[in-house]
Amino acid sequence: MDPVIIVGAGPVGLTLALALARQEVPSVVLDEGLGKDEQRPARTAVLREDTTALVERLTGFPLSEAGFRWAGWRSMRRKQVMREIAFGTQGSGDAGSSRRTAGTRGAQGSRDTHVSRDAEGSADAEEYAAPLHIAQHALTGALRDAIVHERLIKVAVNSRLDSIEQETSGVTAHTRGTKGTWWRGSYLVGCDGPRSTVRKLQDIRFPGRTAVERHAVAALRTELPWPGEALLHRMPPWRTSGPSAGEVTARPLADDAWRLDWLLPPGKDLVTPDLLLARIRETLAGWSGGSTPAYELLDTGVHTVHHRLARRWRAGRVFLAGDAAHLLGALGTQGLDEGLRDADNLAWKLALAWHHGPHETLLDSYQVERRAVVAARLRAADQALPLLRGGGGLRSYVPGSARGHDTLLTDGHLGRGPLGAPGAYADSPLAPPHADSAAPVDTAPGAPVVDVRVTAEDGSFVRLRERLGRGVLLVMLIAPGTGVWERKHWVTAGIMPRLAAAVTALPHPAELLVAESYPGAAAHTVLLVRPDGHLVTAFSGVRPADLYEAAEATLGGPAKAEATASTG
């Protein structure tokens, strides 16, 4: 069968190619450039826990070696510290103790307890993982290095797409270059950015808002008073009042570098080098007590945030992903994070269709699930923008406007709440019908599962996320006490043989895992997890018929007879 054609060799396209290869699906990546990425330290990405784990799983490379995990988060308004969050194990409840720097955490995406302290000095401890901040060229480089060793991935450089033709059995793409080339594929995915040629060739509308926010950006090497901590400073005291007062964000990178973003006032005023240098000196001096510390300027730029959402993400055998399908990024939200989740969601569905024939419900679910999640993020940001940028409007909605502002912005920057948290596929067409045996757990159906320690089928102890992305369903039994015994001592005892037989009988390959515990789950709860790590449902005890029905729904329902024969 023909490979999947991926248009675009950015982080989303390369991630999709690797995710397909892990499921034995070949792909051709059409790279408009020459296979190299310009090193721009001011062009960075903040990755959340789940997307960091996804890339590390695909590349085998610990991203903390190229990026930086924040030691903490600090938000200020004028001269007042509104909130401090220290990532790391907290022994005394002091928000300034036990901080960690990059490279001290494991590559499995483990979670740190953090203590947050608000402006009144009260502290709240909760579980949360430090975001990873990485230069985009370093991220892309790690993906390219992994692809070099993949026999199932071909990267075609200097290949600019100019036409697409679809047929019942496949899709054909033509590229310009030194020689015009026709490429034959089973499916085609446009990961070719905001000006997507794929989207335009499929005549898919891309409505939304232009220049929602603009930021002047500088990457520099210096020492700040908050080593390793990201900082959001609203209305800094050295700026005059009014719309130009704005806010500045400082986020640490590897090698003692920082990315600084200044929110610009509305309009299209030119950001000159002199203006940017003056802003750098003024900001560094303001944070350092009046004198500008030594710094090395690495890169500058202007980052313009647009909010757009493609009307359709699927047109027959053609799909859109990443910036080709959506643009978001105001209020600290991260568009690349959602693009990587697009790739994770689409990969296992394309792989199943490639190997076993198309299930239309399964392929349609990509648009239904992912578009709904991104649309909700965009709505949340668009609703918050007038309150945060409208000159005090939040006072009429939330008592204590400064704290309300801080909560919204912290959510966006740290990846939680409606602005930043990974979305749940609550209304997915793949959701199974309700069963009387369904059991409640702390994870809602359709939401990402918690990364607990599990015992794999070979008896090894691994993190749950390590078992994702291989195209198989995961069935996880909660069995307290099993963690202290080797698997051979309990694999044939109790309910295990019956559950193992039920897993073997499922309509799709599945792996049986055992966990000591899972948040909110009683003993002998059985969880069914999708290949991309979202919970399907949970059952009280072993329910073979209900488990089979849920697995079948997860695959898009019963396969049509003419589509069940393997075509891979």
Side-chain angles (χ1 to χ4, degrees):
M1 189 169 174
D2 296 318
V4 174
I5 300 173
I6 299 172
V7 183
V12 175
L14 298 176
T15 296
L16 178 59
L18 285 168
L20 289 172
R22 297 293 181 269
Q23 298 169 67
E24 296 298 316
V25 177
S27 64
V28 174
V29 180
L30 304 182
D31 187 350
E32 185 177 312
L34 299 177
K36 297 181 180 179
D37 300 284
E38 182 184 7
Q39 295 200 4
R40 291 293 309 276
R43 190 180 186 191
T44 66
V46 177
L47 301 184
R48 314 307 187 200
E49 184 183 17
D50 60 327
T51 50
T52 299
L54 167 65
V55 176
E56 290 183 334
R57 186 170 67 243
L58 292 173
T59 62
F61 176 72
L63 292 183
S64 57
E65 292 186 8
F68 192 95
R69 290 190 185 274
W70 298 346
W73 166 266
R74 176 186 299 251
S75 60
M76 299 178 64
R77 185 172 184 268
R78 295 192 174 95
K79 295 182 179 180
Q80 182 181 22
V81 176
M82 302 299 297
R83 179 172 299 179
E84 292 178 86
I85 298 174
F87 300 109
T89 303
Q90 302 295 327
S92 63
D94 179 6
S97 64
S98 303
R99 292 188 175 128
R100 298 182 185 181
T101 56
T104 62
R105 292 165 42 93
Q108 288 80 26
S110 58
R111 302 175 73 85
D112 286 339
T113 300
H114 78 236
V115 170
S116 64
R117 190 180 299 277
D118 62 20
E120 279 73 36
S122 60
D124 295 309
E126 54 187 303
E127 290 272 320
Y128 199 71
L132 178 84
H133 191 200
I134 187 170
Q136 188 161 314
H137 67 261
L139 173 63
T140 307
L143 292 164
R144 287 190 185 276
D145 288 346
I147 280 177
V148 168
H149 306 289
E150 276 295 342
R151 61 180 176 82
L152 292 175
I153 303 175
K154 173 181 174 62
V155 179
V157 300
N158 195 25
S159 298
R160 182 179 179 85
L161 181 74
D162 61 11
S163 70
I164 298 173
E165 296 179 4
Q166 287 202 60
E167 303 162 14
T168 304
S169 59
V171 59
T172 303
H174 184 265
T175 55
R176 294 180 293 172
T178 53
K179 297 180 179 178
T181 305
W182 289 97
W183 303 90
R184 180 68 178 174
S186 53
Y187 299 94
L188 184 145
V189 186
C191 305
D192 49 342
R195 297 179 176 85
S196 171
T197 301
V198 174
R199 189 184 64 241
K200 294 172 183 175
L201 289 173
Q202 297 303 300
D203 196 25
I204 297 175
R205 294 184 58 203
F206 198 41
R209 301 171 59 196
T210 300
V212 176
E213 288 185 348
R214 283 201 315 150
H215 297 261
V217 181
L220 49 87
R221 190 171 286 115
T222 189
E223 292 186 9
L224 294 182
W226 309 281
E229 292 186 5
L231 169 70
L232 171 68
H233 199 164
R234 304 186 71 242
M235 301 181 69
W238 56 86
R239 300 293 298 166
T240 58
S241 61
S244 62
E247 66 189 37
V248 57
T249 306
R251 289 172 286 189
L253 283 160
D255 300 324
D256 298 321
W258 295 80
R259 170 172 165 167
L260 273 60
D261 290 61
W262 293 267
L263 178 65
L264 297 171
K268 298 182 179 180
D269 295 341
L270 183 65
V271 180
T272 64
D274 288 343
L275 177 65
L276 187 53
L277 286 173
R279 189 66 65 93
I280 291 171
R281 296 189 185 106
E282 174 189 63
T283 301
L284 295 182
W287 286 336
S288 302
S291 59
T292 303
Y295 68 91
E296 177 188 0
L297 185 59
L298 305 174
D299 190 21
T300 62
V302 174
H303 175 51
T304 302
V305 175
H306 309 290
H307 278 182
R308 295 188 178 277
L309 186 65
R311 292 287 190 194
R312 293 179 293 144
W313 291 27
R314 182 189 180 194
R317 289 179 173 266
V318 175
F319 298 82
L320 300 177
D323 286 351
H326 51 77
L327 295 174
L328 70 163
L331 308 180
T333 59
Q334 296 293 320
L336 179 56
D337 238 35
E338 292 297 354
L340 295 176
R341 293 188 184 110
D342 293 345
D344 199 22
N345 183 289
L346 183 57
W348 71 273
K349 297 172 182 178
L350 281 180
L352 192 146
W354 194 90
H355 285 294
H356 303 292
H359 292 283
E360 292 306 309
T361 300
L362 181 66
L363 294 177
D364 283 343
S365 72
Y366 165 68
Q367 172 178 305
V368 175
E369 292 177 347
R370 292 300 307 147
R371 192 178 187 279
V373 164
V374 175
R377 291 273 297 272
L378 283 169
R379 281 195 302 272
D382 286 343
Q383 289 168 1
L385 271 165
L387 306 179
L388 291 167
R389 309 301 190 211
L394 194 61
R395 288 185 175 87
S396 62
Y397 295 86
V398 180
S401 62
R403 289 194 298 276
H405 288 175
D406 176 75
T407 298
L408 286 170
L409 288 166
T410 297
D411 283 350
H413 282 277
L414 296 186
R416 59 187 184 183
L419 285 180
Y425 306 138
D427 299 319
S428 170
L430 306 182
H434 177 74
D436 292 340
S437 61
V441 297
D442 286 356
T443 302
V449 292
V450 177
D451 188 29
V452 298
R453 191 182 82 152
V454 298
T455 306
E457 290 184 343
D458 62 1
S460 62
F461 293 108
V462 296
R463 305 300 301 185
L464 177 57
R465 281 204 179 101
E466 292 182 32
R467 314 310 292 175
L468 301 176
R470 297 174 298 121
V472 301
L473 299 172
L474 301 179
V475 178
M476 182 168 62
L477 171 68
I478 308 306
T482 52
V484 298
W485 300 96
E486 291 186 34
R487 186 179 176 109
K488 65 182 180 181
H489 295 305
W490 46 258
V491 72
T492 59
I495 63 174
M496 279 296 293
R498 186 164 177 247
L499 179 57
V503 171
T504 302
L506 291 179
H508 188 72
E511 180 180 11
L512 177 56
L513 305 170
V514 178
E516 279 261 0
S517 63
Y518 187 88
H524 296 169
T525 299
V526 176
L527 284 73
L528 178 62
V529 182
R530 297 179 3 164
D532 58 355
H534 287 253
L535 179 68
V536 177
T537 188
F539 299 108
S540 176
V542 180
R543 310 285 180 167
D546 292 342
L547 184 63
Y548 188 97
E549 184 178 33
E552 194 172 55
T554 304
L555 305 175
K560 296 179 181 179
E562 66 270 17
T564 55
S566 174
T567 56

